[in-house]
Amino acid sequence: MDVSYDGTDFSGWARQPGRRTVQGVLEEALQRQPPGAAVPKSVVVAGRTDAGVHATGQVVHVDVVPLSEASGRVPVSSEGIPDLTRMTGRWNRLLPGDVRVLGARIAPEGFDARFSAIRRHYRYRVSDAPWGVDPLRRHDTLAWNRPLSTDAMNAAAAELLGLHDFAAYCKQRDTGTTIRELQRLTWERVDDHLLEVRVSADAFCHSMVRSLVGVLLLVGDGRRTDAWPSKVLESGIRDSAVAPAHGLTLLGVDYPPDADLAARAEQTRNIRTSL
């Protein structure tokens, strides 16, 4: 399933007791299946997003038990799968307006939304206008009250590309690894006062993109030198410069050819512990 959402009014992706989450509302819609369909226990997402973070290209998979016969007005294939175009329309009628299922299809053998992914793409938007942010963009764009230099930020960003231990740019957790391959980190001024940074990596650890953006913004407005972000990386000590969540959007997720999906999932599950 390809999913888009406005993260403003959500407490992030992951289901939490007593909180409104994207996973929670999506699973509630999926559970309202035609009679006889198995209720999915949980969906698997390509990348969990924090509270306030948006997505235009989130990917989700769910395992279901095929229907034994047609039910209601939704046609069922010979494999027991309801017409997914019709089901997408049904889910979107059940979902709130800040979540949309853009499309659904039967996944290839070996597919895992999270572990089969080879690359994830994010965008962060910033306005350096002296008057702040266009009111229509206030939920997905950060207001920065100092002029920003894309040249300075790109010079600093270039030193962070490649395979590194990004512990200094990740919120620490007891398990997992902070070794990642950062493949793209590019700033562009797309309008007079609007900047975007595109960030791509094989995977991201918790708050990594927001930490990268927060540090680079201090370079862009002249408060830090373009050598500082790489020194932070080398130190392994997390800096407090973390950009707010609302400027961040997950744009898309890349997967290998179908024949390589299972192997990729197995490779990803083997936690990388060294460079």
Side-chain angles (χ1 to χ4, degrees), residues 122 128 211 214 231 274:
Y122 283 88
D128 63 354
S211 296
K231 292 179 180 177
S274 60

Side-chain angles (χ1 to χ4, degrees), residues 2-264:
D2 298 314
V3 180
S4 176
Y5 48 87
D6 177 343
T8 303
D9 296 326
F10 288 104
S11 296
W13 163 266
R15 181 185 285 277
Q16 303 174 56
R19 292 182 176 271
R20 185 174 187 263
T21 67
V22 184
Q23 181 182 13
V25 300
L26 183 60
E27 288 181 352
E28 288 170 10
L30 290 175
Q31 286 167 2
R32 297 175 65 178
Q33 300 289 321
V39 176
K41 291 183 179 180
S42 182
V43 300
V44 177
V45 69
R48 293 185 176 188
T49 49
D50 293 336
V53 177
H54 318 291
T56 60
Q58 183 66 275
V59 180
V60 173
H61 90 250
V62 61
D63 295 322
V64 298
V65 176
L67 290 165
S68 58
E69 58 184 18
S71 177
R73 292 176 293 176
V74 180
V76 176
S77 71
S78 58
E79 292 83 16
I81 304 299
D83 183 311
L84 293 177
T85 300
R86 297 277 293 274
M87 289 303 299
T88 297
R90 172 178 288 191
W91 293 324
N92 284 327
R93 288 191 294 273
L94 296 170
L95 286 165
D98 48 3
V99 183
R100 295 289 91 179
V101 176
L102 305 180
R105 57 198 176 277
I106 300 173
E109 185 71 25
F111 178 82
D112 185 289
R114 177 185 176 189
F115 290 112
S116 294
I118 58 173
R119 189 176 300 106
R120 295 160 176 86
H121 306 279
Y122 283 88
R123 176 192 66 215
Y124 198 99
R125 281 181 171 159
V126 183
S127 169
D128 63 354
W131 37 261
V133 176
D134 184 315
L136 296 180
R137 296 257 62 96
R138 69 190 186 279
H139 293 308
D140 71 353
T141 304
L142 173 66
W144 199 257
N145 62 359
R146 296 168 180 258
L148 291 165
S149 166
T150 56
D151 289 342
M153 292 188 289
N154 280 326
E159 300 302 314
L160 302 175
L161 295 174
L163 184 65
H164 303 286
D165 186 339
F166 282 94
Y169 289 94
C170 297
K171 187 174 182 179
Q172 295 298 312
R173 290 180 168 176
D174 294 335
T175 59
T177 177
T178 52
I179 297 173
R180 298 289 188 269
E181 183 184 5
L182 185 60
Q183 300 168 351
R184 181 182 182 183
L185 185 58
T186 307
W187 288 88
E188 180 183 4
R189 186 172 292 276
V190 296
D191 207 340
D192 288 346
H193 297 294
L194 181 63
L195 300 90
E196 293 183 353
V197 58
R198 301 294 180 109
V199 191
S200 302
D202 58 347
F204 293 94
C205 44
H206 193 200
S207 294
M208 179 175 164
V209 178
R210 292 168 54 202
S211 296
L212 289 168
V213 172
V215 167
L216 291 173
L217 286 172
L218 296 180
V219 173
D221 68 17
R223 283 183 280 180
R224 298 284 187 171
T225 68
D226 57 15
W228 179 60
S230 61
K231 292 179 180 177
V232 172
L233 178 70
E234 293 170 4
S235 74
I237 301 173
R238 190 167 187 247
D239 192 87
S240 59
V242 179
H246 72 278
L248 184 61
T249 301
L250 173 63
L251 297 181
V253 184
D254 294 343
Y255 293 93
D258 291 356
D260 300 331
L261 288 168
R264 172 61 184 178

